[in-house]
Amino acid sequence: MTAPVITLNNGLQMPVVGLGVWKAKDGEEVKTAVKAALAAGYRSIDTAAVYQNESGVGEAIRESGVPREELFITTKVWNSDQGYESTLQAFETSLEKLGLDYVDLYLVHWPVKGKYIDTYRALEKLYADGRVRAIGVSNFHIHHLEDLMAHTSVVPAVNQIELHPRLSQTEIRSFCQQHGIAVEAWSPLMQGGGIFENETLRAIAEKHGKTPAQVVLRWDIQSGIVTIPKSVTPSRIQENLNIFDFELSAEEMAQIDALNENRRVGADPDNFN
Ligand code: NAD
C-alpha cells in the first residue's frame, strides 16, 4: 500500500511516511533501498546534497518505472552552499544529479547564522519560478522560524527536525501547528540506537503484534508528524511502512509521550554551522 498523505500549507500533498537515505552509499546501496521502497509502496524519498547520493536516488527512480507525478522527492541545500546565488547554483547541481526537472520539497538543511534568510530567499525564487513545489526548512528552532518569517514572505511548508520518543519536541510542534508548518521527524528511530529495547515500547509492540520500530513510527503518524525512517534492508523498509493496520490507544500514546528526556542523538541547531 502507499502511505496516506497530509496537505501542506500551499495545498501540496505529502506522504506521511518516506524513506530517509542519509548514509546510504551512492550506487547500488541507495539504488536497492529506493527501489525496494518504491516497490513496497513508498512514494516519498528524503535525500540531501550532503548525502552525496542524489545520483543513485535519481537512477533508482527512473529504473523503478513509477511515474514522476506520483513521487514526492525532497532534497536540501548544504551549509557551505548557503547564500542567495550559491543556493540557486546548488539547486541546479542537485536537480542535475537527481536527473529531475523539479523537486517536490527543497529545504534549508541547517539555520546557518547570517545566511539562512538569504538562502531561504533563493528558495522563494525557485518556488515562484515553479522549480520546486514546496519550500521549507530543517533544524529550525522557534527563534529561527520567528526571525525567518519576519524577513521573508512564504511561510515554510515543513520544518524537518530531530524527533523521537526521547526528544518529543512539544514546544516547537505547537508553534509549527499554530503557523501551519508541517513537522517532519528525522532520526525517528534514534538512528537505531537504544530505543528498541525500551520496555514500554516492547510491551506495546507485543500487544499489537508489531515491532518497537513500527510502534514508534505509528506514534509519529498519530501525533500528526511526517516520518522518514532510514533503512537499506528491504525487509525493514517494508516493515516501516506497514503501520496502517493498527492503532495506539490514547493511553499508549501517553506512555510513549512520557519517554521524552529532551535527549538528542544529533547536533543542537544552535551549535552547528
Ligand atoms: P533513523 O532514526 O531512521 O534510524 C535508522 C537506523 O535504524 C537504520 O540504519 C537501522 O540501523 C535502524 N532501523 C531502521 N528500520 C529498522 C527496523 N524496522 N528495525 C530495526 N532497526 C531498524 O535514522 P536517520 O537515518 O538518522 O534518520 C532518518 C532520515 O532522516 C535520514 O536518513 C535522513 O533522510 C533524515 N535526516 C535528516 C537530518 C537533517 O539534518 N535534516 C539529520 C539526520 C537525518
Side-chain angles (χ1 to χ4, degrees):
M1 72 167 290
T2 56
V5 294
I6 57 157
T7 301
L8 301 176
N9 61 13
N10 66 351
L12 185 66
Q13 296 196 319
M14 177 178 194
V16 294
V17 178
L19 178 75
V21 297
W22 182 36
K23 292 187 182 165
K25 285 187 217 70
D26 203 15
E28 283 315 306
E29 186 170 80
V30 80
K31 281 177 68 176
T32 303
V34 171
K35 283 189 193 172
L38 297 177
Y42 287 71
R43 289 296 176 264
S44 167
I45 308 291
D46 181 84
T47 185
V50 76
Y51 303 168
Q52 297 189 350
N53 57 18
E54 290 167 313
S55 305
V57 169
E59 277 175 45
I61 289 171
R62 282 189 295 284
E63 289 173 20
S64 76
V66 177
R68 172 67 183 97
E69 62 273 16
E70 283 185 23
L71 298 172
F72 192 102
I73 307 301
T74 301
T75 193
K76 318 182 188 87
V77 54
W78 185 239
N79 300 353
S80 52
D81 285 321
Q82 289 204 28
Y84 188 84
E85 291 298 337
S86 41
T87 294
L88 294 178
Q89 236 162 36
F91 175 75
E92 298 304 333
T93 305
S94 281
L95 212 56
E96 197 174 309
K97 285 189 174 164
L98 285 161
L100 299 175
D101 52 15
Y102 68 92
V103 297
D104 296 276
L105 179 63
Y106 198 41
L107 301 177
V108 179
H109 207 145
W110 289 86
V112 174
K113 274 191 206 115
K115 288 198 172 168
Y116 62 77
I117 290 174
D118 281 345
T119 304
Y120 192 79
R121 287 191 179 127
L123 268 58
E124 289 185 317
K125 157 102 175 116
L126 293 167
Y127 182 56
D129 290 348
R131 312 292 308 282
V132 297
R133 298 181 77 200
I135 56 175
V137 296
S138 177
N139 298 303
F140 274 46
H141 281 315
I142 291 174
H143 71 88
H144 296 118
L145 288 169
E146 285 173 335
D147 182 39
L148 185 78
M149 290 193 291
H151 293 96
T152 59
S153 45
V154 179
V155 175
V158 169
N159 186 17
Q160 185 186 113
I161 53 176
E162 181 181 343
L163 197 159
H164 42 69
R166 294 299 190 201
L167 181 73
S168 59
Q169 300 267 30
T170 48
E171 260 184 70
I172 193 151
R173 274 161 59 186
S174 78
F175 179 91
C176 286
Q177 193 177 13
Q178 280 162 33
H179 292 272
I181 303 168
V183 173
E184 183 176 22
W186 63 252
S187 296
L189 302 174
M190 283 184 77
Q191 300 179 4
I195 199 70
F196 303 136
E197 291 73 37
N198 178 268
E199 278 179 22
T200 303
L201 292 175
R202 290 182 78 94
I204 297 172
E206 199 169 322
K207 202 168 131 201
H208 290 280
K210 289 286 176 179
T211 65
Q214 289 172 316
V215 168
V216 171
L217 299 171
R218 181 71 204 178
W219 170 77
D220 288 337
I221 302 307
Q222 288 184 221
S223 305
I225 290 161
V226 176
T227 191
I228 44 168
K230 180 252 179 179
S231 177
V232 292
T233 309
S235 59
R236 284 179 170 173
I237 289 172
Q238 205 158 17
E239 175 185 328
N240 293 343
L241 185 64
N242 185 12
I243 55 171
F244 297 102
D245 58 354
F246 75 113
E247 192 161 356
L248 300 171
S249 67
E251 192 190 340
E252 290 166 335
M253 289 295 288
Q255 284 173 343
I256 303 172
D257 287 341
L259 298 177
N260 181 46
E261 294 176 342
N262 294 325
R263 178 146 61 87
R264 292 179 185 276
V265 292
D268 184 323
D270 276 333
N271 307 313
F272 185 80
N273 259 332

